[in-house]
């Protein structure tokens, strides 16, 4: 697969903040979700990729060509900022076609691009409305259509689903899937939201304090977190001490509440366990625990349990939580494997 976007060793200092040697790769048609807490540098990275910010060091390539010193409008990258503003005095159709006037293509090509973007973003029913008064979801779709008419190789979306109601979110998720399926556009999608990551992403990068802490497939990042930060940010909130050893070639971790099968490259003294891997058990050999709290989350029930000296969080199906009482004893079992975390976090990896 050819690379649509590549950046290597990007560094940029702005005031107190520093983008710290960021390297990423995204194949044609790829969909990368960029996760990270507020202020970690996600927007700054997007701006550096699309040319609004110039890096102090490092390289940006689009379709194998270096674009580090090129202006934003000739990089073949579309950027839809968090607060993308439309031209309020113009109709929706004029907003969408605005960039086409700078393309040196014939009338038919422009019409085709326009029609395609309108169809993909499902905005045909309000083309003749003014942009004032569009709902948040409609305005987002118009902003995306305005970028898509230029057929960029890469599109950068800064929290595209933020602040939308659930129905508008669903509509936009479906439209973003269509872009992925029907155009070859590679997408970088910034979000804080894990469900959004799973709904759309194929690959994922987690940023922390200006650096990429881990990148890989969604499965790798969510199920094999490389650091405690990634484990916690992706929801593997149970971090417990273990005594790890290799038994018949398999890593096994002894912990205060039982023996765990472990994944990971080598023995470590801490393990990450996702809440959905812990289940209330009817069987033998399970972990004995005391139920500390119960919270119904709709699709699952969140249990806080005390197992030995550890306070753990478990997400179980509602039927498993029926009849449980706070303060009562229960048996737990592990469905997945705990993942060994590095013993010491490396600050400047
Ligand atoms: P959020 O999720 O809240 O949008 P983010 O991860 O996108 O956050 P950035 O907007 O990239 O974070 O900001 C990273 C850091 O850089 C922040 O601490 C921000 O205050 C700082 N920063 C960004 N732009 C500037 C600027 N022009 N001058 C000074 N500091 C800046």
């Amino acid at each position: 697969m050819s690379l649509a976007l590549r950046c290597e060793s990007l560094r940029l200092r702005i005031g107190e903040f520093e983008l710290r040697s960021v390297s990423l790769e995204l194949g044609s048609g790829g969909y990368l979700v960029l996760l990270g807490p507020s202020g970690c540098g996600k927007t700054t990275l997007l701006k550096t990729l699309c040319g609004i910010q110039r890096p102090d060091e490092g390289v940006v390539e689009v379709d194998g060509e270096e674009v580090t010193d090129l202006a934003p409008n000739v990089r073949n990258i579309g950027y839809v900022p968090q607060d993308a503003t439309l031209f309020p005095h113009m109709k929706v159709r004029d907003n969408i076609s605005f960039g086409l006037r700078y393309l040196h293509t014939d009338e038919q090509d422009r019409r085709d691009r326009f029609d395609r973007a309108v169809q993909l973003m499902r905005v045909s029913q309000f083309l003749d409305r003014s942009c004032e008064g569009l709902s948040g979801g409609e305005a987002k779709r118009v902003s995306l259509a305005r970028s898509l008419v230029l057929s960029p190789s890469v599109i950068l979306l800064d929290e595209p689903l933020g602040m939308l109601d659930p129905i508008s979110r669903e509509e936009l998720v479906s439209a973003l899937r269509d872009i992925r399926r029907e155009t070859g556009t590679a997408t970088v999608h910034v979000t804080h939201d894990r469900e959004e990551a799973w709904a759309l992403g194929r690959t994922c990068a987690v940023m922390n304090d200006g650096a990429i802490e881990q990148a890989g497939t969604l499965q790798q990042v969510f199920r094999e977190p490389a650091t405690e930060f990634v484990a916690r940010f992706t929801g593997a909130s149970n971090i417990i001490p273990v005594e790890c050893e290799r038994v018949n070639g398999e890593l096994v971790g002894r912990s205060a509440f039982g023996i765990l099968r472990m994944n990971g490259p080598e023995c470590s003294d801490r393990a990450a366990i996702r809440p959905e891997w812990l289940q209330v058990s009817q069987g033998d050999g399970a972990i004995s625990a005391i139920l500390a709290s119960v919270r119904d989350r709709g699709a699952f029930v969140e249990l806080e349990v005390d197992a030995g000296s550890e306070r753990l969080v478990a997400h179980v199906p509602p039927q498993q939580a029926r009849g449980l009482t706070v303060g009562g004893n229960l048996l737990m079992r592990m469905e997945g494997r705990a993942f060994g975390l590095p013993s010491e976090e490396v600050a400047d990896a």
Side-chain angles (χ1 to χ4, degrees):
M1 185 173 55
S2 60
L3 286 183
L5 179 70
R6 191 178 86 86
C7 68
E8 193 177 328
S9 308
L10 284 183
R11 289 184 184 274
L12 171 65
R13 178 171 276 285
I14 313 175
E16 298 287 295
F17 175 77
E18 193 181 1
L19 215 51
R20 297 185 290 134
S21 195
V22 172
S23 301
L24 281 176
E25 286 186 350
L26 181 60
S28 299
Y31 204 109
L32 173 82
V33 174
L34 186 59
L35 284 167
S38 203
C40 72
K42 303 180 297 296
T43 300
T44 305
L45 174 58
L46 294 194
K47 286 181 174 173
T48 311
L49 292 171
C50 75
I52 294 172
Q53 298 273 16
R54 283 285 298 276
D56 299 329
E57 284 174 42
V59 172
V60 181
E61 289 176 3
V62 176
D63 294 329
E65 302 282 327
E66 182 170 353
V67 299
T68 322
D69 296 321
L70 298 185
N73 60 330
V74 291
R75 290 186 174 213
N76 217 4
I77 296 183
Y79 172 48
V80 182
Q82 215 168 335
D83 53 356
T85 44
L86 298 164
F87 305 118
H89 54 285
M90 285 186 188
K91 286 183 177 169
V92 166
R93 71 165 63 249
D94 299 326
N95 265 278
I96 294 172
S97 60
F98 187 80
L100 289 173
R101 69 184 66 185
Y102 301 106
L103 279 187
H104 303 293
T105 58
D106 61 34
E107 191 57 35
Q108 184 61 46
D109 177 71
R110 291 182 208 194
R111 249 200 313 271
D112 290 346
R113 286 163 178 266
F114 180 86
D115 290 344
R116 183 128 185 80
V118 164
Q119 180 225 332
L120 269 172
M121 288 297 105
R122 304 164 198 178
V123 293
S124 58
Q125 68 280 24
F126 43 84
L127 284 178
D128 289 313
R129 272 172 60 187
S130 137
C131 285
E132 279 171 324
L134 290 180
S135 73
E138 289 164 350
K140 266 284 179 279
R141 279 164 28 219
V142 173
S143 306
L144 273 156
R146 191 170 61 173
S147 269
L148 285 175
V149 286
L150 299 173
S151 311
S153 290
V154 181
I155 193 158
L156 309 177
L157 308 175
D158 201 346
E159 298 196 40
L161 307 181
M163 309 294 282
L164 296 183
D165 64 84
I167 290 172
S168 304
R169 281 171 71 95
E170 277 304 310
E171 283 173 358
L172 198 50
V173 165
S174 165
L176 291 171
R177 285 201 186 112
D178 287 349
I179 297 178
R180 190 178 68 186
R181 196 169 42 240
E182 294 181 29
T183 73
T185 319
T187 307
V188 180
H189 175 139
V190 163
T191 182
H192 303 257
D193 189 298
R194 298 172 202 145
E195 279 179 31
E196 210 171 299
W198 280 102
L200 286 158
R202 287 180 177 168
T203 54
C204 173
V206 180
M207 267 190 103
N208 180 23
D209 192 18
I212 302 289
E213 193 125 340
Q214 186 176 2
T217 65
L218 275 166
Q219 285 77 5
Q220 283 166 342
V221 172
F222 275 73
R223 303 202 174 121
E224 301 173 12
T227 66
E228 179 168 345
F229 176 84
V230 174
R232 290 195 188 282
F233 199 80
T234 55
S237 48
N238 300 308
I239 312 282
I240 57 156
V242 289
E243 275 178 34
C244 182
E245 61 179 302
R246 209 172 273 279
V247 177
N248 298 331
E250 272 219 66
L251 286 182
V252 171
R254 291 174 204 286
S255 71
F257 58 96
I259 292 180
L260 303 173
R261 293 185 309 149
M262 305 243 313
N263 269 344
E266 56 198 41
C267 269
S268 69
D269 59 6
R270 293 176 314 154
I273 302 174
R274 297 196 65 78
E276 60 272 23
W277 291 346
L278 288 173
Q279 301 286 303
V280 176
S281 170
Q282 312 293 326
D284 295 328
I287 302 155
S288 165
I290 295 171
L291 184 60
S293 75
V294 179
R295 196 145 70 102
D296 196 344
R297 302 278 296 264
F300 60 89
V301 176
E302 184 172 287
L303 309 176
E304 275 191 310
V305 301
D306 291 319
S309 57
E310 304 299 327
R311 168 66 58 98
L312 303 172
V313 178
H315 291 171
V316 304
Q319 64 273 21
Q320 267 189 33
R322 248 180 242 136
L324 295 179
T325 49
V326 171
N329 291 305
L330 37 85
L331 292 171
M332 315 275 307
R333 67 184 151 82
M334 273 275 292
E335 280 292 328
R337 283 169 176 255
F339 202 85
L341 296 171
S343 302
E344 294 278 335
E345 303 260 56
V346 181
D348 265 323

